[in-house]
Amino acid sequence: QQQWQQQQEQQHDVNAQSREDMEITLNIFGRPYGRDPLFWKYELPLSLLVGAFMGLFCVCFFGIYRYLFFKVFFSGEKEGAHEDGRLSLGDVSAWSGRGWWVAVTCLGGFLSGCISLIPWAPGLGLSATMYRDMVTLHGHTKHAPFVIVSSLVSLSTGMSIGPEQALSAAGAAFSTLLSDRLHLPCRTHCAVVLAGIAAALGALFKSPFLGVVLLHEISITARPRDIRLDAAAKEMRRRREASCDEEDEDEDERRGGNEHKLHDYMEQTTIMGASSVMAFLIFRAIFNDLNKKHVQLRDVSDYEAWHLFAAIPIGILCGVLGTLNCLFIGTGKKIRMWIMKLLHVFDTPLWLASLILATFAGLIQGVVTVAFPLTLGSGIENMQELIRIGFNNTNANYIQNGEDMITARVL
């Protein structure tokens, strides 16, 4: 009997130690998200759905943008043109900046200013950005259509901007609309919106995982105190006050709420990865087929180990250029403030001041593109064309890309 009691006491100590170890593990990792039914019922399926939607949306967005861009700037029979009559951007010796480009960019700025004057549209420079969506993990359904149309106008008229803002606004708005329709808990709502933004970047980049890494970086700067979904859901409940009922809050609190929760970070990576890969596959499968291109890995035969060290001077140069870019942005803001003060002296109406500022921005863009034609547009088409057909007349080792040769020097 004494032996049996000793065994029972030892087993009790082991169980107590196991419970203590489990509590420590939960405090570090949190509850495994794969065991939560909400993950399988809502988060993962909706992430795939949002990814599929964004893949199709990107096909339409880029199709319209590229058609309008080339129709405006590179239509007609010209020297160095392709079989369809479009002038190749890679044939830099066959073209230079055209003076009428200034009129096109001014028109694009003017139209963007007109869009900002629509009663339901956000004011000039006041639309919700991707960074703000990452702070709140809530899309702006009313702003998104105007942001998309304004971006299409700007890109099509040769502005040097990227499509990230329009795509992320569409992904966040669609995810928010979907979450509101399904009356999802706050935490699940945040997860679905995060997947929508990730899907937009996953379709845009050459690798879908670049979008996941980028959003993790933005999360650290957007929500530096706590990047967990639990913290974002808590902040959303605070903003909504009584709009989230008790059942919703209990459902969110049941998901965890630990101070350190590594499973939360992995859950974000899972849903962002799922939506990004889905958007990437759909977009590339349709868009590349329309452009007669295929996604495949190519062997670089002349690669050498010392090429890795080339990243050091390239990184330094990019840092310098990034600093100059910040200085240019600061100078632009100073010019904007000076123009606003000047217009205020003449009692210019606010709507007219917005149009003047937007048109002036188009004027600056037009002057720059005429002086430096390779800065026309977002720069994506320029670099693709230069790599595709530029500087291929060399005997060095190369990558065979269809009928074209891409050398290490070009890359």
Side-chain angles (χ1 to χ4, degrees):
Q1 187 174 4
Q2 289 178 353
Q3 263 185 352
W4 181 81
Q5 288 179 349
Q6 290 178 355
Q7 290 177 357
Q8 291 296 320
E9 290 175 359
Q10 291 176 356
Q11 186 64 35
H12 181 270
D13 293 339
V14 171
N15 292 338
Q17 184 65 36
S18 299
R19 286 194 296 270
E20 184 179 354
D21 293 342
M22 180 61 70
E23 290 178 0
I24 295 175
T25 302
L26 287 177
N27 286 333
I28 296 176
F29 292 97
R31 300 180 184 276
Y33 61 91
R35 295 183 181 179
D36 197 295
L38 285 178
F39 175 78
W40 301 102
K41 184 178 180 181
Y42 290 116
E43 291 184 12
L44 187 59
L46 291 180
S47 298
L48 296 174
L49 176 62
V50 171
F53 170 81
M54 286 307 302
L56 296 174
F57 178 85
C58 289
V59 171
C60 300
F61 183 89
F62 279 96
I64 296 173
Y65 148 55
R66 288 172 62 91
Y67 174 81
L68 293 177
F69 178 79
F70 285 112
K71 194 71 175 176
V72 171
F73 291 99
F74 302 108
S75 61
E77 294 291 339
K78 297 179 181 179
E79 182 183 359
H82 291 297
E83 294 180 358
D84 59 359
R86 177 172 59 85
L87 181 64
S88 171
L89 293 172
D91 300 329
V92 291
S93 61
W95 67 286
S96 59
R98 310 289 199 260
W100 55 268
W101 287 2
V102 178
V104 176
T105 55
C106 287
L107 177 62
F110 177 79
L111 292 177
S112 296
C114 291
I115 293 173
S116 68
L117 297 179
I118 299 176
W120 303 279
L124 195 66
L126 299 178
S127 61
T129 61
M130 180 174 65
Y131 182 84
R132 191 181 304 176
D133 291 339
M134 286 297 297
V135 171
T136 61
L137 289 183
H138 181 80
H140 294 261
T141 55
K142 294 182 180 180
H143 289 187
F146 300 102
V147 173
I148 294 169
V149 174
S150 180
S151 296
L152 276 175
V153 170
S154 300
L155 285 166
S156 302
T157 53
M159 298 291 184
S160 293
I161 65 173
E164 296 88 352
Q165 175 57 40
L167 299 181
S168 63
F174 177 74
S175 303
T176 298
L177 185 62
L178 195 62
S179 300
D180 291 341
R181 293 287 183 179
L182 296 176
H183 303 287
L184 298 180
C186 291
R187 189 182 188 281
T188 309
H189 177 111
C190 294
V192 175
V193 172
L194 185 64
I197 301 175
L201 299 181
L204 177 64
F205 294 143
K206 295 298 183 182
S207 172
F209 300 108
L210 290 177
V212 178
V213 175
L214 176 60
L215 288 187
H216 271 308
E217 293 178 352
I218 296 178
S219 296
I220 294 173
T221 58
R223 305 189 302 278
R225 297 183 61 183
D226 198 339
I227 67 171
R228 295 174 303 135
L229 291 176
D230 286 332
K234 184 178 180 180
E235 182 65 20
M236 180 177 290
R237 284 195 298 271
R238 187 189 66 80
R239 291 195 306 268
R240 291 182 175 182
E241 296 181 346
S243 60
C244 282
D245 54 21
E246 294 297 330
E247 182 180 356
D248 179 19
E249 186 167 351
D250 292 341
E251 189 70 26
D252 285 334
E253 293 296 333
R254 187 179 65 80
R255 300 291 298 270
N258 298 314
E259 183 178 356
H260 303 289
K261 193 173 180 184
L262 299 184
H263 274 290
D264 191 295
Y265 307 147
M266 192 61 204
E267 182 181 1
Q268 296 181 44
T269 304
T270 302
I271 58 178
M272 287 194 295
S275 62
S276 297
V277 171
M278 177 63 74
F280 177 84
L281 292 176
I282 292 179
F283 174 68
R284 296 295 172 180
I286 299 176
F287 198 72
N288 288 337
D289 184 66
L290 294 176
N291 289 273
K292 307 301 182 184
K293 297 178 182 178
H294 302 282
V295 179
Q296 55 183 304
L297 299 176
R298 304 187 184 279
D299 180 30
V300 182
S301 58
D302 56 349
Y303 168 79
E304 297 180 13
W306 68 268
H307 291 165
L308 291 174
F309 295 98
I312 297 175
I314 292 175
I316 295 174
L317 179 61
C318 289
V320 173
L321 292 177
T323 304
L324 294 176
N325 184 52
C326 292
L327 293 175
F328 184 78
I329 293 174
T331 304
K333 289 183 177 181
K334 291 292 184 180
I335 295 175
R336 178 181 182 274
M337 293 176 59
W338 179 78
I339 294 177
M340 288 296 292
K341 290 180 180 179
L342 183 62
L343 295 175
H344 181 71
V345 171
F346 292 98
D347 294 328
T348 306
L350 183 60
W351 65 268
L352 182 58
S354 299
L355 291 179
I356 292 175
L357 280 173
T359 307
F360 182 73
L363 174 64
I364 294 178
Q365 179 68 65
V367 172
V368 172
T369 54
V370 171
F372 304 98
L374 291 182
T375 63
L376 179 66
S378 65
I380 298 175
E381 280 77 17
N382 310 28
M383 293 305 300
Q384 286 180 345
E385 289 285 347
L386 283 174
I387 291 177
R388 194 173 71 84
I389 59 177
F391 309 110
N392 285 329
N393 52 346
T394 175
N395 295 324
N397 293 329
Y398 59 88
I399 303 172
Q400 191 69 35
N401 182 12
E403 297 179 358
D404 301 318
M405 297 182 297
I406 302 179
T407 66
R409 180 165 61 91
V410 174
L411 294 175

